[in-house]
Amino acid sequence: TNSCVFADKWTVEDIQFIREIVFHKNNFANLLEKFEKKFSIKIQENHAMQCAFIYFAKKFLLGLQCIIPDKHFYLDSKKNHTTLKIVQYVTEILDIWQQEQSLQYPIDDNHIRCLSIQLEAILRQFVKQVDIIIISDLTVELEIMQLTLARTFSSQQIRITQFLLNANKMDFLYQLQNCIILVNHRLSSFINQLSLFKQNIVVSVTVELNAYDMKAIQNAVVYYREKYFLENIETL
């Protein structure tokens, strides 16, 4: 159940029975295969994805999908281009599936929008890591900044690389693209001369990464994660 009122009433056997119906019943399993192929996902390997499709499947019991009301509100996503793109993909998949299964009644648009929003939220968690390059001429600064970043961001969100000036080859820096480059204020003038900001986001920071620094880094991470997500959606 999706309700907190009855959640504690379900036994392990009940939950397993529902999973068997949803994930192994031929007609709905066929729909899941279409979603997995379109979005390059493994539904049964992701608990959040399983929940989304289980609750979506329940709307088809007794062919009531066209009259079961949807109680969610989607004011923030009504005109969101990305969400509308996913709604389009989901609608296309469901239309083909309905024709193949000869389903008599249509699916309420709000149910499609609800599934699309849930799908988008889950897919956003699987975009590739954002590369963060820490540049310094002192090993201890590199270690301190890496420790701070590692305790602030998930390892699934970012990938940290240290670059020790005068020890590593500069060719590495010239090849960087779509990276967040962190450099201490005292080295920022030198780094700016390399024009790395043309293909990357360069953030001048303090070694302790104060609140202002972290906000700038957070904004850069959000920017690249959104960029990667949009690229993934546009290539589907």
Side-chain angles (χ1 to χ4, degrees):
T1 177
N2 204 20
S3 169
C4 60
V5 178
F6 303 106
D8 61 342
K9 303 293 190 269
W10 283 73
T11 65
V12 174
E13 290 76 16
D14 292 333
I15 296 172
Q16 186 58 38
F17 178 67
I18 292 297
R19 290 181 183 276
E20 287 293 325
I21 292 176
V22 173
F23 296 114
H24 299 288
K25 190 176 180 181
N26 288 338
N27 61 345
F28 205 77
N30 176 261
L31 176 62
L32 299 182
E33 288 178 5
K34 294 182 185 302
F35 274 99
E36 288 183 331
K37 182 177 180 180
K38 180 66 175 179
F39 294 101
S40 301
I41 55 177
K42 293 292 183 182
I43 293 173
Q44 295 203 54
E45 295 178 3
N46 184 284
H47 185 68
M49 196 78 75
Q50 289 179 34
C51 290
F53 279 99
I54 285 174
Y55 296 125
F56 182 73
K58 288 170 60 179
K59 297 177 176 65
F60 289 84
L61 296 176
L62 304 177
L64 300 177
Q65 66 271 11
C66 60
I67 62 174
I68 295 177
D70 190 274
K71 301 177 182 179
H72 301 86
F73 296 95
Y74 314 103
L75 299 180
D76 294 337
S77 61
K78 285 290 186 181
K79 297 182 179 180
N80 184 287
H81 171 74
T82 306
T83 302
L84 293 176
K85 193 74 173 177
I86 294 179
V87 169
Q88 176 190 331
Y89 292 146
V90 171
T91 301
E92 291 171 354
I93 293 172
L94 290 171
D95 284 346
I96 294 172
W97 177 69
Q98 280 186 281
Q99 293 175 12
E100 292 177 349
Q101 301 299 323
S102 300
L103 296 183
Q104 184 176 0
Y105 302 111
I107 304 173
D108 186 274
D109 288 344
N110 284 330
H111 294 322
I112 296 176
R113 182 173 292 277
C114 179
L115 178 62
S116 300
I117 292 172
Q118 293 169 347
L119 190 59
E120 177 184 352
I122 295 170
L123 291 173
R124 283 183 178 277
Q125 307 311 311
F126 293 93
V127 298
K128 65 180 181 179
Q129 297 164 302
V130 177
D131 283 304
I132 297 183
I133 315 299
I134 311 171
I135 301 177
S136 180
D137 55 351
L138 298 174
T139 301
V140 66
E141 285 190 356
L142 295 175
E143 294 296 336
I144 290 172
M145 286 191 280
Q146 177 159 344
L147 176 62
T148 304
L149 292 170
R151 287 181 172 273
T152 304
F153 296 95
S154 166
S155 60
Q156 295 179 334
Q157 291 182 315
I158 65 171
R159 178 170 53 194
I160 305 170
T161 301
Q162 296 184 5
F163 186 88
L164 186 61
L165 281 174
N166 302 320
N168 299 120
K169 293 183 178 180
M170 296 295 291
D171 289 347
F172 171 78
L173 296 180
Y174 291 120
Q175 296 173 3
L176 295 177
Q177 291 185 0
N178 297 322
C179 296
I180 301 172
I181 299 175
L182 306 185
V183 57
N184 191 284
H185 290 310
R186 73 175 188 281
L187 299 173
S188 58
S189 296
F190 168 70
I191 295 300
N192 286 339
Q193 293 176 11
L194 304 179
S195 299
L196 301 179
F197 57 85
K198 292 182 178 179
Q199 295 179 301
N200 307 277
I201 295 178
V202 179
V203 183
S204 181
V205 298
T206 59
V207 65
E208 68 272 19
L209 296 181
N210 59 38
Y212 179 83
D213 297 334
M214 294 305 296
K215 180 63 176 177
I217 297 169
Q218 177 69 51
N219 289 341
V221 170
V222 169
Y223 169 81
Y224 277 123
R225 285 179 60 82
E226 182 70 12
K227 180 176 185 291
Y228 296 154
F229 179 71
L230 293 177
E231 288 174 349
N232 290 343
I233 295 301
E234 292 299 329
T235 58
L236 290 175

